[in-house]
Amino acid sequence: MYQDQSSRIGKISEQYTNDQYGTLLVGLGTYYLKHQDYNRGFQLILNGLDFANKIKNKDSILECIKIFEEFRYCAIEEAKLRYKKMIREV
């Protein structure tokens, strides 16, 4: 679950927190895809793509696209349709 972070020196910037959360989604999604848990992996990658698009993080958007395309052959039709819709919004 996403939540603001803080440390002993104060609140960590929202941009940093957002970037880290996006990186986490991509990393987890990649892990699950590589371990053949395709439903969970694609769900995380697509959630990461959606989040990256909302925060306008181009690097994370490109990383999500790269991973999705690498594993596209394993995606169910529902994931492909969701991906196609999201790509139009990017």
Side-chain angles (χ1 to χ4, degrees):
M1 177 182 352
Y2 175 84
Q3 54 186 326
D4 287 333
Q5 297 180 19
S6 61
S7 68
R8 284 182 259 168
I9 59 172
K11 187 175 179 178
I12 297 173
S13 80
E14 183 178 352
Q15 182 64 44
Y16 178 78
T17 301
N18 286 342
D19 289 344
Q20 291 298 95
Y21 182 67
T23 300
L24 174 67
L25 291 174
V26 173
L28 282 173
T30 302
Y31 172 85
Y32 285 116
L33 289 171
K34 287 183 177 181
H35 287 85
Q36 299 177 353
D37 188 347
Y38 299 117
N39 288 334
R40 187 175 291 169
F42 282 116
Q43 182 179 15
L44 286 162
I45 292 296
L46 293 173
N47 288 347
L49 179 59
D50 185 46
F51 187 76
N53 191 35
K54 286 179 183 173
I55 65 168
K56 307 291 188 233
N57 185 324
K58 293 176 185 175
D59 292 335
S60 290
I61 290 170
L62 291 174
E63 186 65 21
C64 290
I65 291 170
K66 181 186 114 187
I67 298 298
F68 189 93
E69 292 298 336
E70 182 179 338
F71 289 92
R72 175 186 276 278
Y73 68 97
C74 301
I76 61 172
E77 198 59 35
E78 180 181 326
K80 290 178 185 176
L81 289 172
R82 183 175 171 207
Y83 174 74
K84 186 177 180 180
K85 181 180 176 188
M86 293 172 89
I87 288 298
R88 286 188 203 137
E89 297 172 2
V90 172

